[in-house]
Amino acid sequence: MGNVSYYSEEGLKKLKEELTHLEQVERPRVSQEIADARDKGDLSENAEYHAAKEEQSLLETKIAKLKNVVANARILDESQLDTSKVLIHSIVKIKNTANNMEFTYTLVADSESDIKNGKLSVNSPIGKGLLGNKVGDVAEIKVPNGIMKFEILEISR
């Protein structure tokens, strides 16, 4: 059994759409490629057949993993969350104490992370380091380059 992950309604919907696409579009396409390659004769020296079988194997693995994620996904009722500390789906404004640069991130599940759009995974080093902190706290976060310090300026939903 996998770990429970919390998603926004939009994030879970995207996961389910991807799973449906893989099962209803990609799986039949790969099956057809295998059938087409099989029709070409000797399978022992048929590169197309072996490539299609490999693709099928990778696709089935991806589908199985995605099914597991969807099965263990829960929608988070954001109205019930405590805004006094940083939690998943918190919008947190932080300041790097070394250079005074300010950033605003929404902490999300791994599959929803998108750093360009300000969505930071709760399992990233910075995401993990921010969890549980309150406004005014300075989080000391171990990153590959050493320790970074971020002051929590604001927490919202």
Side-chain angles (χ1 to χ4, degrees), residues 34-51:
I34 291 170
D36 292 347
R38 191 180 296 127
D39 291 342
K40 292 182 180 170
D42 184 13
L43 298 182
S44 65
E45 295 181 17
N46 188 331
E48 286 179 44
Y49 176 78
H50 294 291

Side-chain angles (χ1 to χ4, degrees), residues 125-126 140-144 146-148:
I126 293 174
E140 292 188 16
I141 301 168
K142 186 174 184 199
V143 294
I147 302 282
M148 293 182 79

Side-chain angles (χ1 to χ4, degrees), residues 95-157:
K95 179 172 74 173
N96 183 333
T97 60
N99 61 15
N100 289 328
M101 288 185 66
E102 293 183 4
F103 306 93
T104 301
Y105 293 114
T106 303
L107 295 182
V108 297
D110 286 338
S111 63
E112 289 185 89
S113 70
D114 180 359
I115 203 74
K116 289 180 183 173
N117 290 313
K119 293 183 177 187
L120 185 66
S121 168
V122 291
N123 291 319
S124 68
I126 293 174
K128 283 181 181 177
L130 294 175
L131 287 175
N133 285 292
K134 298 178 180 218
V135 172
D137 288 353
V138 174
E140 292 188 16
I141 301 168
K142 186 174 184 199
V143 294
N145 292 355
I147 302 282
M148 293 182 79
K149 294 181 183 180
F150 293 101
E151 181 182 350
I152 312 297
L153 302 176
E154 192 178 304
I155 301 169
S156 60
R157 294 277 164 234

Side-chain angles (χ1 to χ4, degrees), residues 23-78:
E23 289 179 323
Q24 295 179 2
V25 177
E26 294 300 315
R27 185 183 271 162
R29 179 189 60 77
V30 171
S31 293
Q32 186 60 49
E33 285 180 13
I34 291 170
D36 292 347
R38 191 180 296 127
D39 291 342
K40 292 182 180 170
D42 184 13
L43 298 182
S44 65
E45 295 181 17
N46 188 331
E48 286 179 44
Y49 176 78
H50 294 291
K53 288 296 281 183
E54 177 72 17
E55 185 179 1
Q56 181 186 41
S57 174
L58 294 172
L59 179 64
E60 291 302 326
T61 300
K62 188 173 182 178
I63 288 172
K65 285 180 180 178
L66 202 50
K67 278 185 173 182
N68 189 43
V69 169
V70 170
N72 292 300
R74 303 291 180 267
I75 293 179
L76 201 59
D77 182 358
E78 295 181 25

Side-chain angles (χ1 to χ4, degrees), residues 68-88:
N68 189 43
V69 169
V70 170
N72 292 300
R74 303 291 180 267
I75 293 179
L76 201 59
D77 182 358
E78 295 181 25
S79 66
Q80 302 296 314
L81 295 179
D82 179 3
T83 56
S84 68
K85 59 185 174 184
V86 179
L87 302 168
I88 189 168

